[in-house]
Amino acid sequence: MSTPYPFTAIVGQDDLRLGLLLNAVSPAVGGVLVRGEKGTAKSTAVRALAALMPEVSVVPGCRFSCDPVSPDPACPDGPHAEAAGVSRAARTVELPVGASEDRLVGALDIERALSEGVKAFEPGLLADAHRGILYVDEVNLLHDHLVDLLLDAAAMGASYVEREGVSVRHAARFLLVGTMNPEEGELRPQLLDRFGLTVEVAASRDTDERVEVVRRRLAYDDAPEAFAARWAEEETALRERIAAARALLPRVVLGDAVLRQIAATCAAFEVDGMRADIVMARTATALAAWAGREEVTADDVRQAALLALPHRRRRNPFDAPGLDEDKLDQTLDEAGPQEDNDDDPDPGPDGGGDAGGGDGVPPQADGDHTPPQGSEGDDTPSQAPASAPDAPGRSAGAEQRPVAAAEPFRTKMLSVPGLGEGAAGRRSRARTAHGRTTGAVRPQGALTKLHLSATVQAAAPHQRARGRSGRGLVVRRDDLRQATREGREGNLVLFVVDASGSMAARQRMSAVKGAVLSLLLDAYQRRDKVGLVTFRGKEAEVALPPTSSVDAAASRLESLPTGGRTPLAAGLLKAHDVLRVERLRDPSRRPLLVVVTDGRATGGPEPVALAGRAARLHQAEGTASVVVDCESGYVRLGLAGELARELGGTAVTLDELRADSIAGLVKDVTAAGRAA
C-alpha cells in the first residue's frame, strides 16, 4: 500500500482542511463538497484524512463492518454472536464516475432469490464505506440516479436494495466527501443542499506559498516514507485532537441565543427548507468541540454560516455561490443578545449595513447594469434608434457593445423525435435504466432489472421436465428476462446565434439573449450538454465547445458583441463541424440544433444560396433542428421560416417560445427526412 501524503503537510487551503476536520469530529454534519479548479489538492486532502481517522472495531468476518458493541440487527451477515472485535484502520472508498447502481448499493442473486428464497447479497461500495470515508471525485459528472442513492444513504445511515419484492437493508454511515470542478458543470440545487458543507478552493497567488507547495511535493515524490516520517509528530498530534474533540462533542451546549442567531441567519438569506438550520447547528457545535470549548459562541455561528450556506443560496445555475459577509454580521448582531445603552451615538447612515452589497457579493452582480447611453465609453452605434441596425445600410456597421440579457422565462418543451439511447436526462424519449417498463429481453451480461412476469412465462413450460416438486418455481439462467424501460435522455443542444448588425438593436438583442438564456436554463434542468456557435462579420466561431457547464455558456453569451454582416452559411458550417466531432466522441448523445436568427444572409457571393446548401447538410444527416425567428417589425420577410424548411426543422418566434404563450404550441422538433 502506498504511503499517503500527510494531511498536516498540505500548504494553505484552510477552509478545505477545516471542512474535512469538522466532518471527522462530527460525521452528522453531513459531509463536504469541495469546489475548485484542478490541481488544488482536493483529492490529496481527502485521501490524507483517512490516516487521521480513529481506528474502528469490527465484528470478525462481517462484510458490513458491524460494531461488536452494538451490531446492526438487520445485518445480512448477522445475527452476530458476542465476540471480541477486531480493530482496523478506517477505510477510504472511492466511487468511480462510471460506477453502476449494483456496484454502489450491491447486487442480489435474483435466480437464487426466486428459486430458493435465499437473499444472496453481494455488498457494494456503500457497505465498504460504512464507518469510514466515501470519496466521490467529480461528483457533478456522476449520473443523477446514483447521486440520489448515495445521498439518501448518507442521510438515512442505511442502504436499501429492493428487487421484485426481495429486499436487503444494511447500515451505511460514512463521511461523504465530493469534489468537483465547476467548469465541467454544476450539481442541481436539490443535490447541493444534501451536502452539509461546501468549500471553495483555488491555487494560491502568493509566490512563497507556491514555492513551498512544489518543494514539499517533490520531496514526497522522491521519498514518500521519509517525507511522511518528517510529519509523523504533527500527524499524531492532529489525530489526538480529533479524538479529543469527538469525546467533548456530546457535552457542548447549544444555547437558545446562538440557536436564535442560526435561525435568523437562515431566514435572512432565504434558504429553502430547514436542513440549513440543522447543519449550521451541528457545524457550530463541532467548531466549539474542535476549539476545546463546551459552549457555542457567535463566532462559531458565523464560521458555520460561511461553510453551510453559500451553496444553498443559488436559485439557478447562473448564480455564483457566495455569502454577503456584511449582511451576515448585521444579522448576527441583530439576532444576538441586546444590551441597553442609551448613550450610544447615532450610528449614522452606514450603521444599518448594506443588505445588497459587501465583500461577499459575487463580482458578476454588476453585470446586470447597462451604462446609460451617452455615458463615457459608450460607442456611437449603440446610441442609434432601435430600428436603425435593421436598415440595409447599417447591417455591416461597427461593432456594438454587449448588452445585458432580458429576464429569462420558462420555455416550451423542445425535444428530438424518435427513441434514443443516450445519457439519462429529461428531454427526449430514450431507452434508459430507469423509467416505465415497455418490454423484456434476454439479459446481456449481469441481470439488473428483472421482468418478473416474462421470467415466469419463460420458466413455466419446463417445470415438469425439470422435475419440479412442491410450490417453488425451478428457474434457470436462460429463463431470466431483463426489463426494457423507457425514460428521458439528455441531448447536446448546440446554439447557433446570429450576432450580426441586423440583430444589433439594443432592445432586440437583449430579448434574443434573454431567450437563449431561457433555453440554457431549460437545458440545465434537463441535464443536457450545450455548445455555442456565433457568427458575425465575415466568419463564425465556436464561442463554447460542447460542455456540461451551462453557466459557462451563459457567461459567454452575456459578453457577446454584435455588428457586421451576416455570414449565416459560415455559422451553419461551423455547427456542422462541431456536431461531426461530437458524434465521434459521444455517438449515443443525439443533437438538437437551435439557430437563433432573423434568417438574413449577407456578405460574399450568393450568401442566401450558400446558407441553403449548408442547411441541407444538417437535413441530410438527420439533425433535429429548430429556428428561433428573431425578425421584428410590421413587415416580415419570413426568412427564418425558409431556413427552417431547408434544415428540415421547425420555426418558432420569440413569443411562441414562451411556455405561457397561446400563440402556438412547440412539441417535438421535426427531424430531417422524417415521414409525414
Side-chain angles (χ1 to χ4, degrees), residues 411-577:
T411 65
K412 283 192 171 73
M413 175 68 169
L414 302 176
S415 63
V416 178
L419 196 62
E421 296 182 347
R426 295 186 176 182
R427 185 173 295 279
S428 305
R429 293 174 54 230
R431 298 183 186 93
T432 57
H434 299 271
R436 64 184 182 90
T437 300
T438 58
V441 295
R442 290 180 180 271
Q444 301 294 324
L447 179 71
T448 56
K449 299 291 182 182
L450 177 73
H451 195 295
L452 183 57
S453 61
T455 299
V456 171
Q457 289 175 9
H462 309 290
Q463 295 306 294
R464 180 176 295 179
R466 293 173 182 175
R468 172 186 172 185
S469 61
R471 302 179 62 183
L473 187 68
V474 181
V475 180
R476 302 281 173 82
R477 174 70 186 174
D478 289 343
D479 302 327
L480 299 179
R481 295 294 182 268
Q482 175 87 17
T484 58
R485 304 197 174 195
E486 183 179 312
R488 294 279 174 176
E489 67 178 358
N491 298 109
L492 166 60
V493 182
L494 181 62
F495 294 93
V496 181
V497 180
D498 184 348
S500 65
S502 65
M503 302 281 289
R506 275 190 174 275
Q507 293 181 351
R508 186 177 179 191
M509 197 61 197
S510 177
V512 169
K513 285 188 176 182
V516 178
L517 199 64
S518 303
L519 290 167
L520 284 171
L521 182 58
D522 182 69
Y524 167 78
Q525 294 168 342
R526 301 189 188 281
R527 317 292 181 264
D528 295 317
K529 290 179 69 175
V530 297
L532 180 61
V533 172
T534 64
F535 58 94
R536 54 184 292 272
K538 297 181 179 180
E539 59 185 15
E541 65 172 343
V542 180
L544 184 72
T547 176
S548 296
S549 181
V550 175
D551 52 341
S555 177
R556 302 292 172 87
L557 178 71
E558 191 69 25
S559 60
L560 178 66
T562 57
R565 293 189 177 275
T566 312
L568 178 57
L572 295 174
L573 290 173
K574 183 67 72 174
H576 183 268
D577 291 341

Side-chain angles (χ1 to χ4, degrees), residues 7 23 75 84 127 162 194 229 252 341 360 432 519 531 595 612 614 622 632 635 644 673:
F7 191 88
N23 275 273
C75 177
E162 302 280 349
R194 299 296 291 273
V252 175
N341 189 349
T432 57
L519 290 167
V595 184
S632 61
V635 179

Side-chain angles (χ1 to χ4, degrees), residues 257-340:
V258 293
L259 192 56
R260 179 172 290 277
Q261 286 182 313
I262 290 172
T265 301
C266 292
F269 284 100
E270 300 179 350
V271 296
D272 296 331
M274 295 298 298
R275 184 175 283 117
D277 304 63
I278 296 171
V279 170
M280 273 190 64
R282 289 173 174 166
T283 304
T285 303
L287 281 163
W290 179 246
R293 290 182 273 102
E294 294 188 4
E295 187 172 356
V296 177
T297 67
D299 287 340
D300 296 329
V301 174
R302 186 183 192 279
Q303 183 65 54
L306 293 175
L307 293 171
L309 295 188
H311 61 300
R312 292 184 165 89
R313 298 194 61 242
R314 301 190 71 191
R315 291 296 181 264
N316 63 61
F318 314 134
D319 295 337
L323 212 61
D324 184 341
E325 296 192 33
D326 288 346
K327 181 177 179 179
L328 173 61
D329 291 335
Q330 178 185 347
T331 303
L332 292 175
D333 289 342
E334 291 175 352
Q338 301 297 319
E339 296 182 2
D340 293 332

Side-chain angles (χ1 to χ4, degrees), residues 632-646:
S632 61
Y634 293 106
V635 179
R636 302 195 180 193
L637 303 178
L639 299 176
E642 181 61 32
L643 175 62
R645 286 189 289 274
E646 296 278 10

